């Protein structure tokens, strides 16, 4: 490799490393302090870089917010893709998705995404470049649609329901409930006699029982 190419590769690697450090710092700051109250200086302090460096990568706070949220949604997309590729019936894939949502220790991720949803909901205008986030969200929908399509063909889902509509509704309901329980589980005054883990297990069993094709063993 010639010196010029090596220098360019090292420069790009350094740039990617700094950007990743800023995103990781922003994720921590947004999670702990809240998106609304967090400042770019807070992020710079967390990342141990100058404020000018943060603005060089992300000229506006909203661009940084969107980049962090998109990064977390890409993690969700990775989970969906992994499960979609398993060589198991559709019903088993739905169960695996339930289990992914049931990890209550993902409090930081859930708190960040809930904070992002609330922040966006209160904006008077859409976030600039929101297409990048929506693109990942749409890809998650496409992957899930492929799972639902399998359910309509492999016989693991009861044939008297619309696999796409019912599975989408059920997975959304379960996901919202899991996110709420995850947040409440970290609030001492909201402790419940019926453990959140058990509540999710019961809901999962109800949904799986409803979806299961009675004509299959």
């Amino acid at each position: 490799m010639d010196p010029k190419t090596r220098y360019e590769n090292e420069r790009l690697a350094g740039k990617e490393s700094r950007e990743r450090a800023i995103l990781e710092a922003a994720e921590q700051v947004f999670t702990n302090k809240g998106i609304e109250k967090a400042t770019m200086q807070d992020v710079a302090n967390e990342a141990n870089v100058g404020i000018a460096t943060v603005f060089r990568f992300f000229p506006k706070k909203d661009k940084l917010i969107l980049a962090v949220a998109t990064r977390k949604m890409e993690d969700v997309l990775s989970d969906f893709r992994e499960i979609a590729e398993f060589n198991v019936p559709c019903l088993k894939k739905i169960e695996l998705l339930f289990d992914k949502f049931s990890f209550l220790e993902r409090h930081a991720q859930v708190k960040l995404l809930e904070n992002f949803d609330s922040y966006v909901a209160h904006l008077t205008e859409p976030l600039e470049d929101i297409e990048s986030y929506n693109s990942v969200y749409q890809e998650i929908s496409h992957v899930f649609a492929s799972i639902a399509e399998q359910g309509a063909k492999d016989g693991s889902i009861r044939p008297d329901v619309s696999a796409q509509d019912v599975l989408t509704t059920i997975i959304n309901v379960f996901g919202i409930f899991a996110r709420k329980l995850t947040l409440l589980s970290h609030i001492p005054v909201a402790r419940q006699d019926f453990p959140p883990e058990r509540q999710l297990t019961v809901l999962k069993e109800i949904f799986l029982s409803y979806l299961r094709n009675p004509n299959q063993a």
Side-chain angles (χ1 to χ4, degrees):
M1 182 184 299
D2 63 88
K4 183 177 180 180
T5 301
R6 183 183 300 110
Y7 170 78
E8 183 64 18
N9 289 343
E10 290 175 352
R11 187 185 69 82
L12 290 175
K15 182 179 179 181
E16 291 174 357
S17 178
R18 287 191 294 275
E19 182 176 11
R20 184 167 56 252
I22 292 171
L23 287 171
E24 291 173 353
E27 181 179 333
Q28 288 296 318
V29 172
F30 292 158
T31 300
N32 297 329
K33 195 170 184 178
I35 291 176
E36 188 70 40
K37 294 181 179 180
T39 67
M40 296 293 263
Q41 185 62 60
D42 292 330
V43 175
N45 294 341
E46 181 70 23
N48 291 316
V49 298
I51 186 68
T53 300
V54 176
F55 277 109
R56 186 160 60 249
F57 284 94
F58 302 98
K60 297 179 180 179
K61 180 182 173 183
D62 278 356
K63 288 184 177 292
L64 179 55
I65 293 169
L66 192 58
V68 171
T70 300
R71 192 166 179 252
K72 300 314 294 180
M73 287 302 290
E74 286 171 345
D75 291 340
V76 176
L77 174 58
S78 179
D79 288 339
F80 270 72
R81 282 175 170 165
E82 179 184 7
I83 291 174
E85 292 174 359
F86 288 159
N87 187 26
V88 295
C90 172
L91 188 66
K92 181 61 179 178
K93 291 180 181 181
I94 298 302
E95 182 177 359
L96 292 172
L97 285 174
F98 285 157
D99 292 340
K100 282 287 185 180
F101 287 136
S102 297
F103 287 147
L104 296 177
E105 64 268 20
R106 291 188 176 186
H107 177 254
Q109 180 183 22
V110 169
K111 185 177 179 182
L112 178 64
L113 291 176
E114 285 285 304
N115 203 330
F116 175 75
D117 289 346
S118 177
Y119 178 79
V120 172
H122 287 85
L123 293 176
T124 56
E125 296 182 0
L127 278 176
E128 185 179 344
D129 299 328
I130 190 67
E131 293 81 7
S132 59
Y133 178 88
N134 288 338
S135 177
V136 178
Y137 194 91
Q138 286 299 316
E139 184 58 29
I140 292 173
S141 296
H142 292 156
V143 174
F144 186 72
S146 71
I147 295 175
E149 184 178 355
Q150 177 190 347
K153 296 177 180 178
D154 68 10
S156 62
I157 302 295
R158 53 190 291 184
D160 60 330
V161 300
S162 168
Q164 177 72 53
D165 294 345
V166 172
L167 290 178
T168 298
T169 301
I170 283 178
I171 207 70
N172 283 337
V173 169
F174 190 90
I176 292 170
F177 187 59
R179 285 171 70 166
K180 183 175 181 63
L181 286 183
T182 298
L183 292 174
L184 291 177
S185 68
H186 286 72
I187 304 175
V189 295
R191 300 272 184 211
Q192 304 175 47
D193 294 333
F194 193 24
E197 295 87 349
R198 182 56 187 158
Q199 292 184 53
L200 289 173
T201 298
V202 169
L203 186 60
K204 181 179 78 170
E205 292 171 351
I206 291 172
F207 282 156
L208 291 176
S209 177
Y210 173 78
L211 291 170
R212 187 173 292 107
N213 186 349
N215 298 320
Q216 285 205 344

